[in-house]
């Protein structure tokens, strides 16, 4: 990106060919007042401040901290060799269109920055790079991964960041770069490297947190925790999002490295970007390993659950068999006891016309009949293994 063709009509001969003309910049809509500056009388308090930080740098050092976009444009025009770094958080459509008019941003890139929910990508529009990144951070309390989206416009003398989400902490990136002015003096490409490095470094705590979750899940699987299936599913979804954030970065960084010679990238930046590419490749491989491991854990969990269900069904079957055997015994003894009860009931009715009432052998016959019936039933049930 060292060759910086003009984005506007031919500038004044006193300016380098890659600078903008000194015509009056397009004035954006009124921005919220800066901290410490009183708001105009009767003005409603702003609900959201889009411009998080805006600065103009010369030779890697901050020379101005404009409060509004209009002030930033004016300060940049007053610095022939300056660079603007504008940090936005969920800007309005009017603010992005103002930036597009000032820096000749492509309308497709502006539309992507407005809509968000983009996959990581790198596109070149003339002398402007448009980069979409997905940052991630691990939340310890809920044990989940939170993703943010970052859009970066990189031009010959400007860098614009449009952040959708809490991650990454670009204020820390800016402080780091301001602490090394010799690196920031290399231009917007150096700031882009710092942002890429911050996003990629932010993946390391996420990888560690996910690894801890994986270890806990393995313990819960073999412990038979019934809630582990839900946790595996949720972590698998997060790994899909993580994979979508990291895998495209490998190709993006290789694309940047392929243009080193064409765009005359500084050798120091080349080394930095190669280091970032190595970290991204390592992280992407770890994420791929997590997805594969989760698939295997889910298979093992399904097998263990199936074995547990089979054991429970076998236990129920055994319990049913034992219950059936008990019912057989109870039914057999009930039938055996019912026989003498039936005989005794018949001969205990005391009807006068019963022929056996005055029979001398009636009582022994009744006792013998009870004994024969009970013995016969016992033998029958015993042969059938009911007793």
């Amino acid at each position: 990106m060292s060759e910086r063709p003009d984005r506007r009509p031919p500038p004044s001969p006193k300016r380098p060919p890659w600078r903008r003309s000194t015509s009056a910049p397009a004035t954006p809509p009124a921005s919220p007042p800066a901290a410490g500056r009183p708001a105009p009388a009767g003005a409603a308090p702003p609900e959201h401040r889009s411009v998080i930080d805006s600065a103009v740098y010369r030779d890697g050092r901050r020379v101005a901290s404009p409060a509004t976009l209009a002030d930033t444009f004016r300060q940049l025009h007053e610095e022939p060799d300056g660079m603007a770094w504008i940090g936005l958080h969920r800007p309005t459509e009017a603010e992005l269109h103002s930036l597009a008019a000032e820096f000749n941003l492509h309308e497709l890139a502006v539309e992507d920055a407005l809509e968000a929910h983009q996959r990581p990508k790198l596109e070149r529009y003339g002398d402007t790079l448009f980069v979409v990144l997905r940052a991630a951070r691990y939340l310890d309390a809920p044990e989940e991964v939170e993703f943010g989206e970052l859009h970066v416009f990189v031009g010959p003398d400007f860098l614009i960041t449009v952040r959708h989400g809490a991650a990454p902490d670009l204020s820390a990136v800016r402080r780091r770069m301001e602490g090394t002015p010799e690196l920031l003096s290399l231009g917007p490409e150096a700031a882009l490297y710092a942002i890429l490095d911050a996003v990629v470094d932010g993946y390391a705590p996420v990888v560690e947190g996910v690894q801890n979750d994986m270890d806990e899940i393995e313990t819960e699987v073999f412990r038979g925790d019934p809630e582990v299936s839900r946790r595996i599913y949720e972590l698998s979804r997060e790994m899909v999002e993580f994979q979508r954030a990291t895998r495209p970065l490998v190709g993006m960084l290789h694309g940047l490295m392929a243009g080193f010679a064409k765009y005359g990238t500084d050798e120091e930046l080349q080394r930095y970007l190669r280091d970032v590419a190595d970290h991204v490749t390592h992280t992407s491989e770890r994420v791929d390993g997590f997805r594969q491991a989760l698939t295997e854990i889910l298979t093992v969990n399904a097998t263990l659950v199936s074995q547990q269900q089979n054991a429970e069904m076998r236990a129920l079957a055994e319990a049913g068999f034992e219950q059936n055997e008990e019912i057989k015994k109870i039914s057999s003894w009930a039938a055996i006891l019912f026989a003498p009860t039936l005989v005794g009931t018949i001969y205990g009715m005391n009807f006068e016309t019963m022929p056996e009432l005055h029979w001398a052998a009636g009582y022994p016959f009744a006792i013998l009949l009870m004994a024969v019936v009970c013995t016969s039933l016992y033998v029958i049930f015993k042969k059938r293994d009911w007793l």
Side-chain angles (χ1 to χ4, degrees), residues 105-115 118 121 123 125 130 153:
L105 305 181
H106 198 278
E107 58 181 5
L108 294 179
V110 174
E111 182 180 352
D112 288 344
L114 278 172
E115 294 180 356
Q118 305 293 322
K121 62 181 179 179
E123 295 180 352
Y125 299 97
F130 176 61
F153 296 90

Side-chain angles (χ1 to χ4, degrees), residues 323-338 377 381 386-387:
Q323 184 177 10
N324 188 37
E325 292 299 316
E326 295 297 328
I327 291 176
K328 288 180 180 179
K329 292 180 182 180
I330 295 173
S331 300
S332 299
W333 287 113
I336 291 172
L337 295 176
F338 176 74
L377 290 176
F381 291 141
W386 283 34
L387 293 174

Side-chain angles (χ1 to χ4, degrees), residues 224-271:
D225 192 333
E227 298 294 330
V228 70
S229 297
R230 180 183 181 87
R231 190 174 181 185
I232 294 174
Y233 173 73
E234 292 175 348
L235 188 58
S236 298
R237 291 189 61 183
E238 291 177 354
M239 288 305 96
V240 171
E241 290 295 321
F242 202 6
Q243 197 173 49
R244 290 175 180 172
T246 57
R247 180 174 290 180
L249 275 180
V250 178
M252 289 169 54
L253 291 175
H254 281 86
L256 281 176
M257 291 188 293
F260 283 165
K262 179 179 180 181
Y263 297 100
T265 304
D266 185 84
E267 292 184 1
E268 188 71 11
L269 288 181
Q270 292 184 28
R271 286 191 288 269

Side-chain angles (χ1 to χ4, degrees), residues 53-89:
D53 195 1
S54 180
V56 177
Y57 299 88
R58 184 179 64 244
D59 297 329
R61 302 183 185 279
R62 185 187 288 239
V63 296
S65 301
T68 65
L69 294 180
D71 292 339
T72 302
F73 302 157
R74 184 169 53 256
Q75 290 285 347
L76 186 58
H77 281 284
E78 294 174 357
E79 292 293 336
D81 300 320
M83 179 194 81
W85 185 344
I86 303 172
L88 305 174
H89 181 249

